[in-house]
Amino acid sequence: MIILAATPIGNLGDASRRLVEALETARVVAAEDTRVAQRLMQALGVENRPRLIALHDHNEREKSADLVELAREDDLLVLSDAGMPTVSDPGFHLVSAAIEAGVTVTAIPGPSAVLTALAVSGLPTDRFTFEGFLPRKAGERASALGSLADERRTMVFFESPNRLADSLRAMGHAFGGSRLVVVCRELTKLHEEVRRGTPEALAAWADDGVRGEIVVVVAGAVPRTVDLDTAVQEVLLLTATESLKDASASVAAATGLSRRTLYEAALRARTR
């Protein structure tokens, strides 16, 4: 089988007993960076020396088929540099290939930067969405954030320290200057830092230079208060580019009104 193993995101004390046992018995390990995997085993006191195979963004597609065949004969342990493989890390294509080939996939759960940041953010955790890394180019980033302007769930992003200030300002433009944002830096590490504020205030802080691994948590949109007639007109305007069903869903998400009510009201208005 293929075993996806979560590794510490910072503090080595977060390594699970199951992870250590898996490393001690593994004969083949596919790792995002084999040097990082070797350092992890050394730090955890693992004396086992498995065969290490590099599995990263640049070679995963071409190596997946061979790794699946290896997993038919023996367990294949898969590691990313930190956290769970496949979550903004290599592993997705390998898992897809394994499922298609009928090879079992399981996981050793453990540390997650997404859930850790969400938990300490103080923002609602009952419903959230993970958006990964924003696009590098300013226009694509603005478009991505614009599509999330009415998202009511708490949003979690990864970001590079070098792009953090620009991304925070783009969030302010897309979401409004008063939206609450939480920047989590170096989670579980010695210099862990959590800062809360508006996009612009946090961008000004980030302008001075930020280091380390960054997770950004953003409050969801507050539903706009509009009357039904106004909302129906918005639905009808959207039907120029969307189906009535999708347009009703979009306006319902932004206003908190019932999607069914909007759909039926817009349908009546359109047939008058």
Side-chain angles (χ1 to χ4, degrees), residues 127-245:
R127 299 179 69 228
F128 69 94
T129 173
F130 174 56
E131 299 296 330
F133 283 94
L134 286 167
R136 293 171 179 267
K137 295 182 178 179
E140 294 176 1
R141 180 170 58 226
S143 177
L145 290 171
S147 70
L148 295 169
D150 293 325
E151 175 58 67
R152 295 169 62 185
R153 295 170 292 181
T154 300
M155 295 170 280
V156 184
F157 302 85
F158 286 164
E159 192 48 280
S160 158
N162 297 329
R163 296 193 298 270
L164 179 60
D166 289 341
S167 290
L168 288 168
R169 288 195 169 90
M171 288 177 181
H173 181 76
F175 302 151
S178 62
R179 187 75 69 93
L180 180 60
V181 177
V182 182
V183 175
C184 304
R185 187 179 73 85
E186 293 291 87
L187 287 169
T188 78
K189 299 178 184 177
L190 179 62
H191 299 292
E192 176 176 300
E193 183 177 18
V194 179
R195 285 183 173 261
R196 301 172 177 86
T198 62
E200 182 54 41
L202 291 172
W205 160 73
D207 281 335
D208 292 333
V210 178
R211 293 182 179 180
E213 302 290 332
I214 304 292
V215 185
V216 182
V217 189
V218 184
V222 176
R224 294 183 288 113
T225 302
V226 297
D227 59 66
L228 180 59
D229 289 341
T230 300
V232 167
Q233 291 306 310
E234 292 186 17
V235 172
L236 294 175
L237 286 172
L238 286 175
T239 56
T241 56
E242 300 179 15
S243 69
L244 182 58
K245 180 180 178 180

Side-chain angles (χ1 to χ4, degrees), residues 13 28-29 36-38 46-47 55 57 67 92 124 147 150 153 159-160 165 172 180 196 198 201 256 265:
V28 184
V29 174
V36 172
Q38 287 174 324
V46 174
E47 296 183 357
L55 180 72
D57 289 337
L67 290 175
F92 170 75
S147 70
D150 293 325
R153 295 170 292 181
E159 192 48 280
S160 158
L180 180 60
R196 301 172 177 86
T198 62

Side-chain angles (χ1 to χ4, degrees), residues 32-70:
E32 181 178 5
D33 188 322
T34 56
R35 294 165 299 181
V36 172
Q38 287 174 324
R39 289 197 295 269
L40 175 64
M41 289 188 287
Q42 183 178 17
L44 294 176
V46 174
E47 296 183 357
N48 182 34
R49 292 295 177 264
R51 176 187 175 190
L52 294 174
I53 301 173
L55 180 72
H56 46 71
D57 289 337
H58 302 295
N59 72 356
E60 183 179 358
R61 288 181 183 272
E62 65 185 59
K63 280 190 173 288
S64 289
D66 290 340
L67 290 175
V68 167
E69 291 307 310
L70 279 175

